[in-house]
Amino acid sequence: MNTFTGLKPEEGETTEITDPKHCKREKKRLRQKRERLKKCDCEKTKEKLSLEIRILEIEIEEYENRDKGIPAKKEKQKPKPKAKEFVFDEDEILKYNAKRKREIEEEAKDKAKARKEREEESREHWDKWEQRSKSWDNEENKRKKSKKNYKWIPDENEDNKKKVFDLKPFIKEYNMKLKDVPKDIMNLNHNFTIEDYKKLSRKYHPDKLSGKQEFMYILNGIRYHYKPNEQGNDETWTK
């Protein structure tokens, strides 16, 4: 049996850290020694404490970095070889410049030709426009001259045109209002034609389902307003 197994190592001796608890205790010792170093005034004690602090720092660092391994050295990159300077051939440069000069001259000629064609087209267009405007001016002058000698002739059909038939007094006899009159009958009153009258008379005839006697009275009243019955009574007829 070893009689020295229970003895603690001296403070100056180094011990290898084996587990996290041991590492925690060593860190605590490191903090205490740093505090003592701040408060200490003796130079010899300071040297001793600084040495012990350095030893503890190395031990803690070795334990924490035990799984990281040795850091690999970075390989120095070899300098890239310098590219050779390109030397231009003067003959090729002269050939390229001459070729480019010919291309520019051809482009300028094409542009000048296209510009000339556009100018000719625009000139023709404006010449035609000028001739047309002159003809319009001549027609306008003729119209003004003829207007001075123009005499108004009344239209023979103006007297035959009649005003719109007033339905209000007419439908009062049948106890009706304007809102009761259908729209197509109102349109017929404003634009009367015999064809529309015949269509509506067939539509609103009392024998039809949509028919009504009052509507037929209104239709007949509109018809007699625009087309009065000019036929007189028979001479042989007597009351």
Side-chain angles (χ1 to χ4, degrees):
M1 182 176 176
N2 191 358
T3 56
F4 300 101
T5 53
L7 296 175
K8 293 182 179 179
E10 295 182 3
E11 289 186 359
E13 294 179 359
T14 59
T15 55
E16 187 179 355
I17 300 171
T18 56
D19 53 33
K21 288 184 179 180
H22 191 186
C23 181
K24 192 174 181 181
R25 288 196 300 271
E26 294 298 319
K27 285 181 179 180
K28 186 177 180 181
R29 282 180 61 200
L30 181 62
R31 286 196 301 272
Q32 291 173 355
K33 287 183 182 294
R34 283 174 178 170
E35 289 175 0
R36 284 174 60 191
L37 182 63
K38 289 179 182 179
K39 296 176 181 179
C40 183
D41 296 331
C42 182
E43 292 182 0
K44 289 183 179 181
T45 311
K46 279 184 178 181
E47 289 178 2
K48 185 180 179 182
L49 286 172
S50 59
L51 180 62
E52 291 174 357
I53 288 167
R54 181 60 184 157
I55 292 167
L56 285 171
E57 287 175 351
I58 292 168
E59 289 177 355
I60 292 166
E61 188 178 356
E62 286 178 355
Y63 176 76
E64 289 177 347
N65 299 329
R66 66 189 183 281
D67 297 328
K68 292 183 180 179
I70 300 169
K73 291 183 179 180
K74 292 183 179 178
E75 294 182 359
K76 292 183 179 180
Q77 293 182 354
K78 294 180 180 179
K80 293 181 180 179
K82 292 183 179 180
K84 293 181 180 179
E85 294 182 359
F86 182 76
V87 180
F88 291 97
D89 190 359
E90 292 183 359
D91 294 335
E92 290 182 359
I93 294 169
L94 292 172
K95 287 179 182 178
Y96 176 78
N97 290 337
K99 183 182 177 182
R100 186 61 187 150
K101 188 177 180 180
R102 286 195 300 272
E103 289 176 355
I104 291 168
E105 288 176 355
E106 289 176 359
E107 287 178 1
K109 287 179 182 178
D110 294 337
K111 287 180 180 179
K113 187 177 179 181
R115 194 185 304 112
K116 192 174 181 181
E117 290 176 355
R118 286 197 300 271
E119 288 176 357
E120 289 177 357
E121 288 177 0
S122 64
R123 194 181 298 110
E124 290 176 1
H125 172 74
W126 288 114
D127 290 341
K128 289 179 181 178
W129 179 261
E130 190 175 355
Q131 292 175 2
R132 197 179 301 166
S133 62
K134 284 180 181 179
S135 64
W136 288 343
D137 293 338
N138 294 332
E139 289 177 2
E140 186 67 23
N141 293 329
K142 287 179 182 178
R143 196 179 296 111
K144 286 179 181 178
K145 289 179 182 179
S146 63
K147 198 172 183 180
K148 291 178 181 178
N149 301 324
Y150 174 76
K151 291 182 180 180
W152 179 75
I153 300 171
D155 189 5
E156 295 178 356
N157 297 324
E158 282 186 0
D159 296 335
N160 297 329
K161 291 180 182 178
K162 293 188 177 182
K163 294 181 181 180
V164 178
F165 181 49
D166 190 7
L167 291 175
K168 274 188 179 181
F170 184 78
I171 61 177
K172 272 185 181 179
E173 299 177 5
Y174 307 105
N175 296 323
M176 293 178 68
K177 295 181 180 179
L178 286 174
K179 63 181 181 180
D180 300 330
V181 181
K183 287 185 178 180
D184 47 6
I185 295 176
M186 296 292 289
N187 293 333
L188 180 69
N189 187 24
H190 290 280
N191 297 315
F192 179 81
T193 57
I194 292 293
E195 290 80 9
D196 293 339
Y197 165 75
K198 289 179 180 179
K199 287 179 184 177
L200 294 176
S201 60
R202 285 194 294 270
K203 180 179 178 181
Y204 293 109
H205 196 274
D207 294 340
K208 297 286 182 73
L209 292 173
S210 60
K212 198 174 181 181
Q213 188 68 36
E214 287 80 0
F215 294 161
M216 283 304 301
Y217 290 148
I218 296 169
L219 286 170
N220 290 330
I222 293 169
R223 179 180 178 276
Y224 292 141
H225 174 73
Y226 289 103
K227 297 285 183 180
N229 191 4
E230 296 177 355
Q231 186 177 359
N233 294 328
D234 191 1
E235 293 178 357
T236 59
W237 180 83
T238 55
K239 190 173 180 180

